[in-house]
């Protein structure tokens, strides 16, 4: 895709690009200008995609895992050959820095296909013998059918491939709907499907909004399982739409993730990592730490160092190698995040840096972009919306705590409805294990952040989701288990 080309996307159904009569504008977040038209699909387009996926399912499911793995690896190779084009497009479409897209989003998207191409070859089934009855029991796992996959706008190709790869590796066919705000790299990937050997109908992509395309997909009676990453509010609607059909659901939802910093932490490493964990990708990662609790005796020192480090976390033009952050995804999202900072001031909190405090110089061409500097706030109460709600932007709230137990760090960390991830900073390994065990979160990092092993389960508790994804967990979700008993 040429940098200054106005792009009109088409749905990918049954191995063909299919035009759509209605379109939505998609914007370059760094300039605020429309540069792309995305299909505004609805029930007819979803119906066609589900039909194509159903038609393709028997043939794809009949292939051996080795044959399916060859196709996934070929697709990964083709994507890698076009890595720079994908990175440029992801940065322009989402607003993230080109560096982040080049080193995180696109390499991980490629790795997702390679990982699941390999992992599907190594799963084993279970068996048991009942000698007293002369019976042998064993299990087999079968692909489920047409998988509905819905991914968000923050890590567009990264998160969609995290769903497509295990789904088709296990023998399912898919109908995918990326966010209407960040659809370009998925469309580019579809261009490589035929060359990779993906049979028509195995991967179908319908672009559009949640209320139209997404609703039609999750409510379709021939889509028996849905994997969704996005907001808790949308997940409730998906659950309601899928309930009459008893659909299998995997829901990876929001986070309001705490970092707990004890006095014995390696403070320099902690500050360096916590700036990254708070503000990476403009804070638009469900795993970002937006609440930072610091033991009282080092609170002032930490806050001073953290604010200084946040000021060095440069927000600027995404193509600038010196930029740590680019632009937020949309004008509406920027206004929402700014609204939280305004609320902090109204409630008497202190904004130490960033929004409304530090100047944000930008080139004239980017003056209409959706930029916001890394913002650090203190003096926020436990009941404040800043503490309780997912901001999903470059905003971190810092507060002191007295001790570890129920009235201290653990109480503060667990006093929200979310439970996706948490970070613990301490040199005391016994404390690290103890606190990790007691935190209500699906993932806990100790003295690090965003170290991901795709073999391990990923997901949250409470309002942060239902189900797990990862090597074995994704395989179990995208297959049905069958027990066979044979009398001998």
């Amino acid at each position: 895709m040429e940098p200054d080309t106005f792009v009109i996307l088409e749905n990918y159904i049954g191995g063909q690009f299919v035009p759509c009569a209605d379109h939505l504008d998609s914007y370059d977040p760094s300039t605020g200008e429309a540069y792309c038209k995305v299909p505004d699909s609805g029930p007819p387009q979803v119906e066609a995609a589900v039909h194509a996926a159903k038609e393709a399912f028997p043939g794809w499911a009949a292939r051996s895992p080795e044959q399916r793995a060859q196709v996934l690896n070929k697709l990964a190779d083709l994507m890698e050959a076009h890595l720079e084009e994908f990175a440029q497009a992801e940065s322009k479409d989402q607003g993230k820095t080109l560096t982040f897209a080049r080193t995180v989003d696109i390499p991980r998207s490629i790795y997702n296909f390679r990982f699941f191409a390999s992992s599907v070859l190594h799963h084993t089934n279970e068996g048991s013998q009942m000698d007293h009855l002369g019976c042998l029991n064993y299990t087999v796992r079968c692909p489920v059918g047409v998988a509905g996959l819905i991914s968000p706008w923050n890590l567009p190709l990264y998160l969609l491939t995290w769903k497509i790869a295990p789904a088709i590796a296990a023998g399912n066919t898919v109908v995918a709907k990326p966010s209407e705000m960040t659809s370009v790299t998925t469309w580019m990937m579809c261009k490589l499907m035929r060359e990779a050997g993906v049979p028509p109908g195995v991967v179908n992509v319908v672009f559009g909004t949640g209320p139209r395309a997404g609703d039609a997909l999750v409510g379709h009676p021939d889509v028996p399982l849905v994997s969704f990453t996005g907001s808790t509010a949308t997940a409730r609607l998906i659950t309601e739409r899928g309930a009459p059909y008893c659909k299998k659901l995997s829901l990876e939802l929001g986070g309001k993730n705490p970092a707990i910093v004890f006095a014995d932490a390696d403070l320099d490493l902690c500050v360096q990592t916590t700036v990254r964990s708070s503000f990476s990708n403009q804070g638009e990662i469900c795993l970002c730490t937006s609440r930072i609790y610091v033991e009282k005796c080092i609170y002032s020192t930490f806050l001073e160092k953290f604010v200084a480090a946040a000021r060095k976390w440069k927000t600027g033009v995404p193509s600038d190698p010196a930029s740590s952050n680019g632009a937020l995804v949309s004008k509406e999202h920027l206004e929402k995040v700014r609204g939280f900072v305004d609320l902090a001031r109204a409630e008497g909190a202190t904004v130490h840096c960033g929004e409304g405090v530090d100047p944000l110089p930008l080139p004239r061409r980017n003056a209409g972009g959706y930029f916001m500097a890394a913002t650090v706030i203190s003096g926020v109460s436990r009941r404040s919306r800043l503490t309780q709600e997912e901001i999903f932007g470059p905003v971190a709230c810092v507060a002191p705590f007295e001790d570890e137990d129920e009235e201290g760090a653990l109480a503060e960390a667990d006093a929200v409805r979310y439970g996706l991830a948490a970070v613990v900073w301490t040199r005391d390994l016994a404390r690290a294990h103890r606190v990790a065990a007691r935190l209500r979160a699906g993932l806990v990092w100790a003295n690090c952040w965003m170290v991901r092993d795709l073999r391990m389960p990923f997901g949250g508790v409470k309002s942060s989701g239902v189900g797990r994804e990862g090597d074995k967990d994704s395989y179990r979700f995208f297959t049905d288990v069958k027990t066979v008993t044979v009398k001998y």
Side-chain angles (χ1 to χ4, degrees), residues 379-394:
V380 178
S381 75
R382 180 191 287 191
R383 295 184 181 87
S384 172
R385 287 177 52 221
L386 281 91
T387 301
Q388 295 296 322
E389 297 181 16
E390 186 176 36
I391 299 173
F392 217 62

Side-chain angles (χ1 to χ4, degrees), residues 418-430:
Y418 296 102
L420 183 56
V423 183
V424 179
W425 288 95
T426 178
R427 284 187 171 96
D428 184 339
L429 288 183

Side-chain angles (χ1 to χ4, degrees), residues 266-277 306 309 313 425:
D266 180 334
L267 203 55
D268 289 338
L269 177 62
C270 173
V271 168
Q272 174 189 345
T273 305
T274 306
V275 167
R276 186 170 61 89
S277 72
F306 186 65
W313 187 265
W425 288 95

Side-chain angles (χ1 to χ4, degrees), residues 336-363:
K336 172 196 165 186
V337 178
R338 280 178 171 166
F340 277 101
V341 182
D342 293 339
L343 176 63
R345 290 193 173 95
E347 291 180 345
T350 301
V351 181
H352 295 270
C353 64
E355 178 65 21
V357 177
D358 299 311
L360 186 53
L362 294 165

